[in-house]
Amino acid sequence: MPEGDTVYRAARLLDRALTGHTLVGTDFRVPQHATADLTGGTVTGTISRGKHLLTRIDESWTLHTHLKMEGAWRVLDPGQRWPRPAHQARVVLTTADKVAVGFSLGVVELIERETEESVVGHLGPDLLGPDWDADEAVRRLLADPDRPLREALLDQRNLAGIGNMYAAELCFITGLHPETPVGRVPDLRRLVLRAHQMLDLNKERALQSTTGDLRERERLWVYRRDRSPCRRCRSPIVVDMHGPAGRERASYWCPTCQRLPT
Ligand SMILES: [Zn+2]
């Protein structure tokens, strides 16, 4: 699942390619907007809010997209071969000199600009947003002190931008078992500041790293490293499924470095 910094880069990519340009073709390949046509409209900008993308067209429209599990936006030259099969395309925005294709997007929604808050208003402080507010994120996290840390970090209503990878890495870096109740985290504000620092460091990079090492197998502490030795203590990293029923996700941790508080 793409993390907030990946979505931030997607917004930058679309913003650079499309902003100020007139659409010479639009193709919304989702049932509810199959007949929509914004040809002739001018793209006025794309921003990310947490893991949501908002592409504004003219004064009145916003294209709301979300990458969910497998989604990606690609910007291509006219006539350039698409990197994914055409049947995966959900949106195609064409200008005189670029073609932006949204593949396998989890959400494609054309909404009126003034209703943007209805799709992103529930989000907590955006880790990569201009309105980032660490104290507000801490306040929201502590509103449910018994909730497991990892689950609370993944809840975009608390703070927006953390996915499964950063949640696992943050728990490791702070030495906390992913199931530690939020209210028992010794310095939650410091953890939240680390989260911001992590995404901010990675927002311009094509490859994400939390260890500071950019070599392929050295970039992360625990995420998807099950059975590999912990980089600190050599214990094998453990993986298990955690989270609310029906929405469980793989959790990775070191059984030695990250113990549950007793
Ligand atoms: Zn360890």
Side-chain angles (χ1 to χ4, degrees):
M1 166 168 286
E3 313 265 337
D5 54 339
T6 302
V7 180
Y8 174 92
R9 273 198 306 282
R12 289 270 299 268
L13 173 78
L14 292 176
D15 196 48
R16 285 186 187 142
L18 303 178
T19 299
H21 294 272
T22 300
L23 295 167
V24 299
T26 64
D27 188 358
F28 302 95
R29 301 183 181 181
V30 291
Q32 72 273 30
H33 299 307
T35 60
D37 185 0
L38 293 180
T39 301
T42 299
V43 181
T44 52
T46 297
I47 60 163
S48 59
R49 285 284 284 120
K51 298 202 233 170
H52 299 253
L53 288 159
L54 301 174
T55 300
R56 293 160 176 168
I57 300 165
D58 288 335
E59 293 305 311
S60 44
W61 293 102
T62 295
L63 172 63
H64 168 223
T65 58
H66 195 295
L67 306 180
K68 289 282 163 92
M69 301 304 279
E70 304 290 334
W73 274 99
R74 295 284 180 261
V75 172
L76 309 162
D77 293 324
Q80 189 183 342
R81 188 187 166 87
W82 288 7
R84 293 205 200 178
H87 68 82
Q88 291 182 6
R90 293 290 171 271
V91 191
V92 185
L93 301 176
T94 309
T95 67
D97 50 11
K98 292 290 175 199
V99 182
V101 188
F103 292 100
S104 304
L105 303 172
V107 173
V108 174
E109 210 182 8
L110 210 46
I111 58 171
E112 290 181 52
R113 170 80 51 85
E114 61 199 27
T115 64
E116 279 183 2
E117 280 303 295
S118 69
V119 295
V120 293
H122 65 289
L123 297 173
D126 180 356
L127 282 149
L128 294 177
D131 58 344
W132 166 241
D133 181 344
D135 294 325
E136 175 62 11
V138 170
R139 194 189 65 75
R140 290 185 181 218
L141 285 164
L142 284 177
D144 188 355
D146 295 330
R147 201 166 180 199
L149 174 62
R150 180 173 155 281
E151 191 186 310
L153 290 173
L154 286 170
D155 188 336
Q156 307 295 301
R157 293 170 298 186
N158 289 331
L159 68 179
I162 294 178
N164 217 17
M165 187 263 276
Y166 284 124
E169 298 292 290
L170 279 164
C171 290
F172 178 83
I173 281 177
T174 49
L176 296 162
H177 190 284
E179 296 297 293
T180 306
V182 177
R184 300 201 53 190
V185 173
D187 192 345
L188 191 59
R189 192 166 193 282
R190 184 158 171 269
L191 186 151
V192 163
L193 294 176
R194 291 297 291 272
H196 176 248
Q197 183 186 40
M198 230 182 224
L199 268 78
D200 197 58
L201 271 172
N202 282 312
K203 74 181 182 190
E204 310 290 350
R205 287 178 183 156
L207 285 175
Q208 294 153 317
S209 170
T210 57
T211 58
D213 193 326
L214 292 174
R215 286 175 296 171
E216 176 55 28
R217 302 180 65 81
E218 310 295 330
R219 294 186 287 114
L220 302 173
W221 293 105
V222 291
Y223 182 68
R224 289 193 176 157
R225 292 195 64 244
D226 39 310
R227 294 192 296 274
S228 299
C230 171
R231 299 192 191 288
R232 285 195 179 139
C233 74
R234 313 307 291 172
S235 304
I237 300 299
V238 176
V239 61
D240 202 356
M241 301 303 283
H242 283 293
R247 292 175 44 217
E248 299 91 345
R249 286 190 261 182
S251 181
Y252 301 84
W253 74 95
C254 170
T256 306
C257 296
Q258 297 168 266
R259 293 185 189 274
L260 266 176
T262 47

